[in-house]
Amino acid sequence: MNLFRRRALQSIYLCALSLLLLIQQIAYNAHLKSTQTSSDGTKYIKWIDFDISSQALTDAVKYDVESKNSEVHTDAVTLLSLLATKYGGSFKSYKKADMDKICEKLRSGEKPEDIAPNLKTYNYYKEAYGAVLGGLVGEYAVPCDYEESGLYYEKRYGLKLFSPIAAGYYYNHYDDFGAARSFGYKRVHLGHDMMGSVGTPIVAVESGIVEALGWNRFGGWRIGIRSFDSKRYYYYAHLRKGHPYAADMYEGKIVNAGDVIGYLGMTGYSSKEDTNNINVPHLHFGMQIIFDKSQKEGWNQIWLDMYEFTNFLSKNKAEVAYDKESNEHYSKSSIIDLSAPD
């Protein structure tokens, strides 16, 4: 190799290395700006840019499930956190080959801390994604058949989340997170709208506890469900006029992922209950992340862009059936989350 070519290759290598270091520094600076100190002196995350592609989520879950009983279990959150550290938090350039390489290193015995280009940034993403995806994969049970002692449940490991729209029901959507809204006051849209037909069964995405139920002048008839670890709050709004909820819904109730919880509608934008003031029937679906109690109702709430996430969830829809006598739909796919309270 002549001297000119060697120096050209060295220059390309140094440029690539400088670019990688710059990406890592940007990611770390974003991490610093994304933390805040609580009243008791502990630091907590104040914002998350959650833009993991549906394909990356699909690949990570597949690796997680397939490696469950292997010598090295490559869990989804670790894989995605390592990729986020490499990408500087942006998955726009995601390649499955990058995830494959990380899995190979983990299987060969390397630790995530050794693979991560920047340990502090990796720890930030591990905590952030751990909160967002804490209910993504894990152990659950499904009813299988009756035995002499009663209903038999089979224990499984895999994806524990469902699309909020039941199987067999059409909807369309686009990325509208952050769009302008003007009812009441000027603000941005902190959820994801899924347009469909009035009466479409809405199911619980994740198992949890019903925390809010009733009328809200912005969201109309709505349901708020808190995850068992209290990190995630799922918000389902604009439910159907006259018959918004599934039977026996109440605050404090434990619901399973896949359970029918209500019906799509167009209520809201009114102080008067049971009013249709939304122009297009749709489900407003949102997820709030909470690291500190001040984020629950305060000015520093964290709401995520759910567009890619709902694309991912659309591959796992809950089957439902209709009971004519009660005029209710019920789930044929709900699971028993083994992390649920006794």
Side-chain angles (χ1 to χ4, degrees):
M1 184 182 295
N2 59 45
L3 182 61
F4 176 78
R5 187 178 179 187
R6 187 183 301 116
R7 287 180 175 175
L9 289 174
Q10 288 175 343
S11 297
I12 293 172
Y13 172 76
L14 290 173
C15 286
L17 181 60
S18 298
L19 180 60
L20 178 61
L21 291 173
L22 178 61
I23 291 173
Q24 292 172 8
Q25 187 61 48
I26 291 172
Y28 183 56
N29 290 340
H31 150 63
L32 292 176
K33 293 178 181 178
S34 297
T35 58
Q36 191 161 318
T37 304
S38 65
S39 56
D40 62 3
T42 59
K43 288 187 176 295
Y44 62 90
I45 294 174
K46 68 177 183 180
W47 187 254
I48 303 171
D49 287 321
F50 184 74
D51 73 338
I52 301 177
S53 67
S54 60
Q55 188 59 55
L57 285 164
T58 299
D59 294 339
V61 168
K62 184 177 180 182
Y63 267 122
D64 189 323
V65 175
E66 290 180 349
S67 67
K68 177 62 173 68
N69 297 317
S70 302
E71 186 175 343
V72 177
H73 177 210
T74 52
D75 72 275
V77 172
T78 296
L79 290 176
L80 294 168
S81 300
L82 287 169
L83 280 173
T85 308
K86 173 182 173 62
Y87 293 152
S90 174
F91 279 75
K92 292 180 180 178
S93 58
Y94 168 71
K95 297 176 183 176
K96 187 176 181 296
D98 292 335
M99 189 178 291
D100 294 340
K101 289 177 183 177
I102 290 174
C103 287
E104 288 175 9
K105 290 181 179 181
L106 291 172
R107 283 195 292 261
S108 68
E110 292 189 55
K111 302 296 183 184
E113 295 78 9
D114 301 325
I115 299 172
N118 185 304
L119 185 57
K120 290 182 179 180
T121 307
Y122 166 71
N123 289 334
Y124 160 73
Y125 282 116
K126 189 70 183 294
E127 182 181 358
Y129 290 173
V132 178
L133 304 173
L136 183 68
V137 181
E139 291 185 334
Y140 62 93
V142 294
C144 293
D145 204 353
Y146 280 95
E147 294 182 338
E148 290 183 4
S149 59
L151 187 61
Y152 169 71
Y153 287 86
E154 182 179 284
K155 188 176 177 180
R156 297 179 183 175
Y157 182 90
L159 181 64
K160 299 194 297 181
L161 307 183
F162 289 96
S163 168
I165 304 293
Y169 291 86
Y170 172 81
Y171 71 90
N172 64 74
H173 67 149
Y174 59 93
D175 195 351
D176 58 345
F177 186 81
R181 293 291 187 269
S182 58
F183 175 78
Y185 60 96
K186 289 185 178 180
R187 63 194 192 284
V188 294
H189 189 225
L190 296 178
H192 183 65
D193 288 344
M194 307 173 75
M195 279 64 73
S197 300
V198 172
T200 294
I202 305 302
V203 306
V205 168
E206 181 182 348
S207 302
I209 302 171
V210 177
E211 187 172 290
L213 192 76
W215 184 261
N216 176 286
R217 73 189 188 101
F218 296 100
W221 295 120
R222 91 296 192 214
I223 300 176
I225 298 177
R226 176 78 56 194
S227 62
F228 295 133
D229 64 4
S230 299
K231 293 289 181 67
R232 294 167 298 287
Y233 177 74
Y234 293 91
Y235 185 68
Y236 311 80
H238 306 313
L239 301 180
R240 181 172 62 179
K241 179 180 180 178
H243 187 177
Y245 307 122
D248 198 32
M249 291 295 296
Y250 55 88
E251 291 184 8
K253 179 178 182 177
I254 291 179
V255 295
N256 296 313
D259 282 356
V260 177
I261 57 174
Y263 300 97
L264 187 148
M266 48 197 300
T267 59
Y269 282 19
S270 176
S271 297
K272 183 180 179 182
E273 288 191 3
D274 211 26
T275 300
N276 280 338
N277 254 353
I278 302 295
N279 294 327
V280 179
H282 69 273
L283 171 71
H284 171 103
F285 173 55
M287 185 198 289
Q288 183 189 21
I289 304 299
I290 294 178
F291 294 97
D292 184 80
K293 60 183 181 180
S294 67
Q295 295 173 310
K296 185 176 179 180
E297 302 290 348
W299 59 268
N300 55 343
Q301 297 178 22
I302 301 174
W303 291 91
L304 304 182
D305 185 339
M306 302 301 289
Y307 177 69
E308 285 292 332
F309 198 64
T310 52
N311 282 334
F312 164 72
L313 293 177
S314 68
K315 302 168 187 174
N316 193 39
K317 293 184 176 181
E319 297 284 342
V320 299
Y322 174 66
D323 180 61
K324 187 175 181 180
E325 185 174 340
S326 63
N327 190 30
E328 293 284 355
H329 288 77
Y330 62 91
S331 176
K332 298 167 65 178
S333 305
S334 58
I335 65 172
I336 306 298
D337 192 329
L338 298 183
S339 66
D342 290 340

